[in-house]
Amino acid sequence: MYRIDLNCDVGESFGAYQLGADLEILPLVTSANIACGFHAGDPAVMRRTVRAALDNHVAVGAHPGLPDLAGFGRREMAITPQEAYDLTIYQIGALYGVVTSEGGRMRHVKPHGALYNMAAKNAKLAEAIAEAVKRFDPALVLFGSSGSELVLAGKRLGIPTASEAFADRTYQPDGSLTPRSEPDALMVDADRAVDQAVRMVKEGMVRSLQGTDVSIRADTICIHGDGPHALQFARRIRQGLEAEGVTIAAL
């Protein structure tokens, strides 16, 4: 029996700026990674998004990012491991307060954007983030890309981890995501994304841009919520997985 969690990055509006189709996407996923105010989001957006996730019985997680609203947290910053620890603790704590006040429970932590990608390769940054999660609540699940330093750090520290794969991103032969700055980093064909998601779940494989098969572990699959076709992709991917007999459920 095949089973997978579908997660989506949500709560990324800010002030007067609206981003994503959160209310439409939340019923289609099982885990929500909610921005905590550094790369996106604000207190009101956090509260509304948490409430919507809980109303849809979606597992709530913190989505801490670099302090870079202008760059949406996708630009690398030369932070130290201590700074990575501090900004992770701060953002988890902020969302925890909102979730608790709404009568919910936080389930996981998934770093955002450049912080996620930096921690995937930098063992010291990964260790700092994993340590922050462990000290805050060792029951929280740490999300990281399959085979990344982030997942390895979580395992070393004895906290639960989830290896994440991406339905709407392309991969390189080493198992890393194609950088967003390069062509074809993001999929625009929903059928292609569905095929990739099904293969990752049922075969544990993904086809790289260069045409080679790469082994991958998928405990949870991310569907990005900020693209122009996000809602269409979310519907098609869920339908495609269910049609293949895959159970969609939170971790």
Side-chain angles (χ1 to χ4, degrees):
M1 179 178 176
Y2 298 100
R3 175 189 174 108
I4 194 70
D5 173 53
L6 288 183
N7 79 77
C8 188
D9 304 340
V10 293
E12 294 181 321
S13 298
F14 179 79
Y17 302 96
Q18 298 299 307
L19 185 66
D22 293 357
L23 295 182
E24 292 80 12
I25 285 180
L26 280 170
L28 301 172
V29 300
T30 46
S31 291
N33 321 308
I34 300 178
C36 306
F38 271 34
H39 77 277
D42 63 29
V45 170
M46 290 165 69
R47 174 181 51 77
R48 291 196 299 267
T49 310
V50 165
R51 185 69 264 153
L54 295 177
D55 287 345
N56 283 281
H57 307 290
V58 173
V60 173
H63 198 35
L66 295 172
D68 180 20
L69 280 173
F72 197 64
R74 288 179 176 158
R75 302 182 292 190
E76 289 194 2
M77 298 175 67
I79 62 171
T80 66
Q82 184 63 61
E83 288 170 327
Y85 173 91
D86 292 339
L87 66 84
T88 301
I89 283 284
Y90 185 95
Q91 292 176 81
I92 295 175
L95 190 72
Y96 175 83
V98 177
V99 175
T100 302
S101 69
E102 291 295 322
R105 174 186 166 200
M106 189 183 297
R107 304 294 182 133
H108 66 275
V109 176
K110 174 189 167 182
H112 165 81
L115 182 63
Y116 180 96
N117 293 329
M118 290 159 61
K121 298 178 180 179
N122 187 316
K124 291 185 178 179
L125 286 181
E127 192 88 14
I129 293 170
E131 182 68 26
V133 173
K134 180 178 182 178
R135 290 199 186 189
F136 191 92
D137 182 351
L140 292 173
V141 181
L142 177 60
F143 284 20
S145 56
S146 176
S148 67
E149 291 291 344
L150 196 56
V151 170
L152 293 174
K155 291 182 181 298
R156 283 195 301 271
L157 291 176
I159 60 175
T161 61
S163 293
E164 182 179 38
F166 293 79
D168 54 3
R169 293 288 302 275
T170 60
Y171 281 82
Q172 294 296 297
D174 64 354
S176 65
L177 295 173
T178 304
R180 285 178 176 267
S181 58
E182 296 184 11
D184 210 19
L186 297 171
M187 291 189 183
V188 295
D189 182 345
D191 289 336
R192 184 181 172 197
V194 170
D195 290 344
Q196 177 162 292
V198 169
R199 190 164 186 235
M200 289 189 295
V201 174
K202 299 188 76 171
E203 298 179 27
M205 302 292 288
V206 65
R207 181 67 56 87
S208 74
L209 268 182
Q210 291 74 18
T212 56
D213 282 340
V214 182
S215 178
I216 194 167
R217 179 183 175 92
D219 299 315
T220 181
I221 289 180
C222 178
I223 303 171
H224 285 97
D226 61 331
H229 309 295
L231 184 56
Q232 175 199 4
F233 270 46
R235 285 180 178 141
R236 292 286 301 280
I237 290 168
R238 176 157 190 147
Q239 290 168 356
L241 287 166
E242 290 178 333
E244 289 288 330
V246 177
T247 299
I248 313 295
L251 294 166

